[in-house]
């Protein structure tokens, strides 16, 4: 088994080779809008997954998938010529879902921003449910309070003669 760093380097090389081969060697008009976005290689270097995107509608994406399946042999041959491994990895083409997920995420962010603006508008025109100052006192403001007003009983709690520390044993 090869180390993951070698597999990652090989994947990057396969990505470049497949992208160049799609532009130079493969003359299928269905593959003109295809962009290779990523490639992954298993650690044993036997299988490569190539991710791609296609500009256009779902019909163009379906045509591109058929074109890539048809051109798989030519692309594998190009990969075999360009890389230095004992066995040429098999190629699998997978449509990359990142643009779809990104557009969904952008739509959700737009909706959240719109709702935040609505909440901010409601908050700007909102009024308090009760008093504006919920901590106001019943005492008139001109009366001064001192600490004697709050004394309940004058107990000296520091000395208790009935408590014996040794009796708790």
């Amino acid at each position: 088994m090869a180390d993951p760093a070698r597999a990652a380097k090989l994947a990057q090389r396969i990505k470049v080779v497949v992208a160049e081969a799609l532009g130079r060697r493969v003359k299928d008009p269905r593959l003109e809008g295809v962009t290779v976005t990523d490639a992954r290689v298993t650690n044993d270097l036997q299988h490569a997954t190539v991710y791609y995107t296609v500009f256009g509608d779902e019909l163009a994406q379906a045509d591109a998938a058929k074109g890539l399946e048809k051109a798989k042999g030519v692309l594998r041959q190009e990969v075999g010529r360009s890389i230095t491994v004992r066995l040429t990895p098999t190629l699998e083409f997978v449509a990359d879902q990142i643009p779809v997920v990104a557009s969904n995420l952008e739509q959700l962010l737009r909706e959240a921003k719109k709702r935040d603006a609505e909440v901010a508008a409601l908050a700007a025109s909102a009024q308090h449910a009760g008093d504006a100052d919920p901590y106001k006192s019943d005492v008139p403001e001109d009366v001064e309070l001192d600490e004697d007003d709050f004394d309940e009983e004058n107990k000296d709690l520091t000395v208790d003669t009935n408590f014996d520390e040794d009796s708790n044993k």
Side-chain angles (χ1 to χ4, degrees):
M1 185 184 293
D3 74 60
R6 182 174 181 207
K9 287 180 185 178
L10 183 62
Q12 289 302 314
R13 181 70 186 140
I14 288 173
K15 179 175 112 174
V16 171
V17 169
V18 168
E20 289 176 354
L22 283 173
R24 286 183 296 129
R25 182 109 189 257
V26 179
K27 301 297 182 194
D28 193 344
R30 298 178 290 187
L31 301 178
E32 289 186 11
V34 173
T35 303
V36 176
T37 57
D38 195 15
R40 305 274 167 96
V41 177
T42 58
N43 283 343
D44 62 356
L45 307 179
Q46 297 296 311
H47 304 286
T49 304
V50 179
Y51 296 93
Y52 67 94
T53 59
V54 180
F55 293 112
D57 59 353
E58 293 193 19
L59 179 64
Q61 292 176 2
D63 285 344
K66 290 176 188 174
L68 285 170
E69 282 299 315
K70 186 172 181 181
K72 188 183 285 191
V74 174
L75 294 172
R76 186 171 182 221
Q77 184 180 17
E78 283 293 317
V79 168
R81 286 185 193 157
S82 300
I83 61 173
T84 56
V85 293
R86 187 169 58 93
L87 298 172
T88 303
T90 60
L91 297 179
E92 178 186 0
F93 293 96
V94 177
D96 198 355
Q97 295 300 316
I98 290 177
V100 174
V101 172
S103 67
N104 289 341
L105 186 59
E106 286 178 6
Q107 177 64 27
L108 290 173
L109 289 173
R110 271 188 245 117
E111 289 177 17
K113 188 175 182 180
K114 178 182 167 188
R115 289 182 184 168
D116 285 347
E118 291 172 1
V119 168
L122 288 173
S125 64
Q127 296 179 3
H128 294 285
D131 292 330
D133 184 12
Y135 299 106
K136 69 180 182 179
S137 172
D138 292 335
V139 179
E141 293 180 17
D142 59 345
V143 175
E144 299 229 358
L145 299 175
D146 55 355
E147 58 188 60
D148 292 336
D149 294 334
F150 296 105
D151 289 341
E152 294 178 11
E153 295 180 3
N154 290 331
K155 283 189 176 180
D156 187 13
L157 300 176
T158 57
V159 178
D160 191 5
T161 57
N162 297 334
F163 182 71
D164 185 16
E165 291 179 9
D166 296 330
S167 65
N168 290 337
K169 291 183 183 177

